[in-house]
């Protein structure tokens, strides 16, 4: 029996966060709880002062503490393992605060939100019921339920479509209202289009059975947003489940192996420059 992506993401073995990491989280919670209880805020204040950006009152720290307590006391493992998480964490540590777009809403969402204090972290999920369920326990998360126009079984046909549809070509591609290009994500919240994303995590939608949306459109649209970037620097794109055929095929076609800077486990990390900073902007292919 094929399991749901979310079920598959919580095995009891090697993909759990290491015992050392869990022990560190628990120790951190105990230490912070002790400091708060005894009224000794000196360490907390020193942490705040050491940040490159000022803490927004108590709200940012409260978000981080709640996430810390949640993961230290939970038996559920986040979608990615420790080494995979560390890849994105290293970028967030250097880019925070930033605009972080996450395809997927799950047991790791509190962590991603807490790792981007003062930044914007937006989650996109295909299942409204799942969004409602997650937000019951974490109402501070910023999430939307969205609809995809694709199905995994259409992957090959969608690749052929992109090569013949001018509005899919890299020099012409856009997202909002681009109904002719079947790989363009349309009908999403305005915030999705109006924000220039610094980091994009693709860990959804589901892509393990024929009628599932698959990640073809998410990968294509991430490439379009990265190429259309106006601000300084590159767009960091993180793609999970690259052990699967479709994820690997579409990543190679649209995110480009020359922009692949790191691969750990089932996660690939790309650094994609804006199109005006690359050569061959008028080429009919992305890579």
């Amino acid at each position: 029996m094929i399991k749901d992506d979310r079920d598959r993401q919580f095995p009891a073995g090697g993909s759990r966060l290491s015992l050392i990491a869990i022990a560190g989280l628990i120790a951190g919670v105990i230490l912070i709880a002790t400091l708060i209880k005894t009224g000794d805020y000196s360490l907390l204040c020193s942490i705040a002062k050491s940040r490159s950006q000022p803490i927004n009152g108590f709200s940012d720290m409260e978000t981080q503490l709640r996430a810390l307590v949640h993961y230290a006391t939970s038996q559920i493992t986040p979608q990615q393992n420790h080494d995979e998480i560390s890849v994105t964490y290293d970028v967030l540590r250097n880019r925070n605060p930033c605009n972080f777009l996450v395809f997927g809403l799950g047991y790791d969402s509190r962590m991603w939100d807490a790792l981007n204090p003062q930044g914007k972290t937006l989650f996109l999920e295909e299942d409204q019921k799942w969004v409602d369920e997650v937000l019951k326990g974490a109402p501070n998360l910023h999430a939307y339920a969205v609809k995809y126009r694709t199905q995994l079984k259409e992957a090959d046909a969608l690749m052929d479509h992109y090569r013949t549809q001018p509005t899919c070509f890299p020099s012409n591609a856009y997202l909002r209202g681009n109904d002719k290009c079947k790989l363009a994500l349309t009908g999403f919240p305005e915030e999705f289009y109006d924000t220039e994303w610094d980091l994009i995590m693709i860990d959804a939608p589901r892509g393990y059975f024929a009628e599932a949306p698959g990640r073809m459109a998410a990968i294509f649209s991430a490439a379009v947003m990265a190429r259309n970037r106006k601000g300084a620097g590159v767009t960091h794109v993180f793609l999970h489940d690259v052990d699967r055929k479709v994820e690997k095929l579409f990543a190679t076609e649209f995110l480009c192996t020359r922009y692949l800077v790191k691969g750990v486990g089932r996660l690939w990390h790309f650094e994609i420059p804006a199109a005006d900073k690359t050569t061959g902007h008028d080429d009919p292919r992305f890579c």
Side-chain angles (χ1 to χ4, degrees):
M1 180 178 67
I2 299 177
K3 297 183 178 180
D4 185 287
D5 278 1
R6 286 185 284 266
D7 293 334
R8 180 179 54 75
Q9 288 159 350
F10 314 126
S15 66
R16 283 186 175 277
L17 290 177
S18 68
L19 291 177
I20 294 176
I22 293 296
L25 286 173
I26 294 173
V29 171
I30 293 173
L31 173 61
I32 293 171
T34 301
L35 291 172
I36 293 174
K37 185 176 181 179
T38 60
D40 185 357
Y41 294 94
S42 58
L43 177 57
L44 297 180
C45 291
S46 67
I47 293 173
K49 291 178 181 178
S50 67
R51 296 169 58 88
S52 59
Q53 300 290 333
I55 284 183
N56 179 20
F58 186 69
S59 60
D60 290 329
M61 182 172 288
E62 182 179 18
T63 296
Q64 293 171 327
L65 292 178
R66 286 181 181 273
L68 188 63
V69 171
H70 172 75
Y71 290 111
T73 58
S74 175
Q75 297 299 313
I76 299 174
T77 305
Q79 275 86 329
Q80 301 175 26
N81 64 38
H82 180 271
D83 291 340
E84 292 168 342
I85 288 171
S86 296
V87 175
T88 308
Y89 167 71
D90 287 341
V91 177
L92 280 171
R93 184 177 57 184
N94 292 320
R95 292 293 295 268
N96 174 265
C98 64
N99 295 326
F100 186 16
L101 176 66
V102 183
F103 287 89
L105 182 70
Y107 295 107
D108 60 357
S109 298
R110 294 190 189 202
M111 174 187 64
W112 296 131
D113 184 57
L115 290 175
N116 188 31
Q118 300 176 63
K120 175 189 288 188
T121 304
L122 176 64
F123 300 94
L124 303 175
E125 168 61 40
E126 63 186 284
D127 186 347
Q128 180 66 65
K129 291 182 179 179
W130 180 246
V131 172
D132 295 339
E133 181 66 25
V134 172
L135 294 185
K136 284 181 183 178
N140 61 301
L141 296 180
H142 189 27
Y144 292 106
V146 295
K147 295 184 180 299
Y148 293 88
R149 300 188 292 161
T150 59
Q151 291 186 328
L152 184 66
K153 62 184 179 183
E154 302 170 331
D156 291 338
L158 287 168
M159 186 67 78
D160 292 338
H161 165 77
Y162 135 71
R163 291 170 177 164
T164 58
Q165 172 51 246
T167 62
C168 293
F169 294 172
S171 57
N172 302 325
Y174 62 98
L175 301 182
R176 181 165 25 204
N178 189 358
D179 296 324
K180 291 183 178 180
C181 179
K182 296 178 182 178
L183 282 170
L185 292 176
T186 62
F188 274 39
E190 293 301 306
E191 187 176 1
F192 169 76
Y193 304 106
D194 293 339
T195 305
E196 186 163 270
W197 302 104
D198 304 303
L199 278 72
I200 302 174
M201 170 70 71
I202 304 173
D203 207 358
R206 292 174 295 173
Y208 65 92
F209 63 96
E211 291 74 24
R215 299 179 185 172
M216 302 83 66
I219 293 171
F220 171 84
S221 297
V224 172
M225 289 188 286
R227 289 174 58 87
N228 291 341
R229 182 180 181 85
K230 304 303 181 186
V234 300
T235 302
H236 296 267
V237 179
F238 306 89
L239 175 63
H240 199 223
D241 296 317
V242 294
D243 55 318
R244 301 196 298 209
K245 176 183 177 182
V246 169
E247 277 80 355
K248 185 174 293 185
L249 174 65
F250 276 72
T252 301
E253 181 68 33
F254 297 112
L255 302 179
C256 308
T257 54
R258 68 176 178 270
Y259 300 138
L260 178 63
V261 295
K262 197 166 190 177
V264 175
R266 295 182 294 122
L267 182 82
W268 279 354
H269 171 205
F270 298 83
E271 293 183 359
I272 304 178
D276 61 3
K277 297 179 176 60
T278 64
T279 57
H281 179 41
D282 294 328
D283 290 344
R285 304 282 287 270
F286 280 70
C287 303

